[in-house]
Structure formats: C-alpha cells, structure tokens
Amino acid sequence: MTRIGQVIMLLHGGDREEARNRFGALWTEIAETGDALHRCTLAHYMADTQDDPEDELLWDLRALAAADTLDDKRVARHDTAVAVRGFYPSLHLSLAADYLKLRRSEAARDHLARARSATDALADDGYGNGIRAAIDRLEWRLTE
C-alpha cells in the first residue's frame, strides 16, 4: 500500500503518464490474483490515469470486482477506521462517470443510484461530503 500511495501522490501531483507507468508495473507485480485490497486501490486510481474512456471503465470494473471479494477483516489490517462498504460510493460514482463519458446514460444512472444508496456508509466529513457533492453534480449532468 505504501508503494501504491506513492504513485497516487504522483498522480495527484499531475504526472498522469508516470503514474500510469508505475501503476502498470505494480499491477504486473500484483497480478489478477494478488491481494484484493491492493488490486482494488490500484485499479481505482489506475482508471484515473487513462486517456481512453473504455480503458478507464475496464480499470474501474476491476476495482469493483476486487472490492466485491474484500471483507472488513482484510481492510482492517490496513486501516481499522475503514469498512469495505465505504468503498462503494466512490467506486460506483467512478463507473457512472465512465458510462456517461461513453454515452451509456442508462448504465450511468444505474451506477449513480448505487453510489447514492451506498452513501450511508460515509462519514459526515470532508471525504464523505465530497463524494455526496460529486454524486449531485453527476446527477445534474445526467438530467441536462
């Protein structure tokens, strides 16, 4: 997780290409059968480095699939304050945005509804409020 976190910092610093390259190397190391928390985290952020919306969707689907294999016991070994159900609002929000980019509005609406219904897992803090606001903004875009 430390190495993934370092690449996330690169991504947030604006170096998408280098982040994509490093995430790719880590993915090769982790592989499809590696630790689900690592796969979920890496795939979720790898999606943000993609130029092609189809590729972004594939990475976000990988993140969701990995999350579906996680349990709270595994997540607690990394952070005791986090529960798996708290991952789903962001994962479904990302998928909704992907589908909107691909002009697949019905799939976008479906994942947006899933994101919204999962927000009860989020705290009333900056992160939770940011996800809720992003859901509202995407919902507004879908109704335009």
Side-chain angles (χ1 to χ4, degrees), residues 70-82:
L70 277 170
D71 61 32
D72 287 334
K73 185 177 177 181
R74 168 58 191 103
V75 174
R77 289 195 331 249
H78 174 67
D79 186 341
T80 57
V82 177

Side-chain angles (χ1 to χ4, degrees), residues 2-141:
T2 300
R3 290 168 56 207
I4 294 170
Q6 290 168 342
V7 182
I8 292 169
M9 289 172 44
L10 262 179
L11 175 61
H12 289 168
D15 197 343
R16 288 178 70 232
E17 185 175 345
E18 183 61 23
R20 183 174 42 241
N21 293 337
R22 290 189 189 189
F23 279 140
L26 285 171
W27 186 260
T28 299
E29 189 177 320
I30 294 170
E32 293 282 337
T33 58
D35 182 276
L37 179 61
H38 298 158
R39 286 184 292 118
C40 178
T41 305
L42 192 152
H44 186 56
Y45 284 99
M46 178 65 133
D48 295 338
T49 70
Q50 302 305 303
D51 296 324
D52 183 327
E54 289 283 349
D55 292 337
E56 186 173 0
L57 173 62
L58 290 173
W59 283 106
D60 280 327
L61 288 170
R62 284 181 182 124
L64 180 63
D68 286 343
T69 68
L70 277 170
D71 61 32
D72 287 334
K73 185 177 177 181
R74 168 58 191 103
V75 174
R77 289 195 331 249
H78 174 67
D79 186 341
T80 57
V82 177
V84 174
R85 63 191 192 100
F87 292 10
Y88 287 97
S90 178
L91 293 170
H92 284 293
L93 174 62
S94 292
L95 285 163
D98 296 342
Y99 284 120
L100 182 60
K101 288 177 194 172
L102 294 167
R103 299 175 192 251
R104 294 174 57 187
S105 58
E106 195 57 42
R109 282 186 189 89
D110 177 55
H111 281 281
L112 192 62
R114 291 178 187 200
R116 186 171 298 286
S117 70
T119 58
D120 64 332
L122 299 174
D124 187 15
D125 60 11
Y127 175 77
N129 294 334
I131 294 293
R132 288 182 193 91
I135 290 169
D136 290 343
R137 285 190 304 273
L138 190 58
E139 187 170 57
W140 183 81
R141 287 178 54 204

